[in-house]
Amino acid sequence: GDPLLSYQYSFTEKFVAIKNDYALTALPGVFFIYDYSPFMVERKDQSRSFLGYLTRVFAIVGGMYKLSGLLDAALFRYSAFRRRQSAAGTGDGR
C-alpha cells in the first residue's frame, strides 16, 4: 500500500515542590521549559501471502495443543499427589 506519513511529538512534565530550606532563595512562579523531540513515523501496510497466513494459523494451533498438554500433565500430577496424600492420611494401607 501507499506509505502513511505521520508526525508525532513527545514531551516531559516535571513538578518540583519548594522545600522550606529554599523558600527564601527560590523564585516563586510557573516556569515552562520546552524540549520537543519530533520524529516521523512511516507505516506501510503490506498484504501477507497465503503461505504466511497458513504458517501463523498452524503456529497458533500448535501452541494451543502444547499448552493443553502441559496443563493436562500438571493436573494429572496434582491429582495423583492428592490421591497419595489422602491415602497416606487414612492409614488403611492403600
Side-chain angles (χ1 to χ4, degrees):
D2 295 330
L4 173 68
L5 300 178
S6 174
Y7 296 96
Q8 299 179 4
Y9 294 92
S10 64
F11 70 95
T12 317
E13 180 181 340
K14 184 178 178 183
F15 173 79
V16 178
I18 297 177
K19 298 178 184 173
N20 287 339
D21 306 355
Y22 301 108
L24 297 175
T25 58
L27 295 174
V30 179
F31 301 95
F32 296 96
I33 300 171
Y34 294 100
D35 183 19
Y36 286 110
S37 301
F39 56 94
M40 185 177 73
V41 177
E42 181 178 345
R43 179 178 173 187
K44 283 187 179 179
D45 288 331
Q46 294 179 338
S47 60
R48 291 194 173 94
S49 66
F50 180 71
L51 184 60
Y53 174 74
L54 202 59
T55 303
R56 290 175 69 121
V57 168
F58 281 126
I60 291 171
V61 171
M64 290 172 55
Y65 179 75
K66 181 64 176 178
L67 187 63
S68 66
L70 290 173
L71 185 63
D72 179 57
L75 288 175
F76 178 76
R77 287 182 183 212
Y78 178 72
S79 66
F81 171 75
R82 294 290 291 185
R83 274 188 262 126
R84 282 195 309 268
Q85 195 177 35
S86 66
T90 59
D92 58 359
R94 282 194 238 169

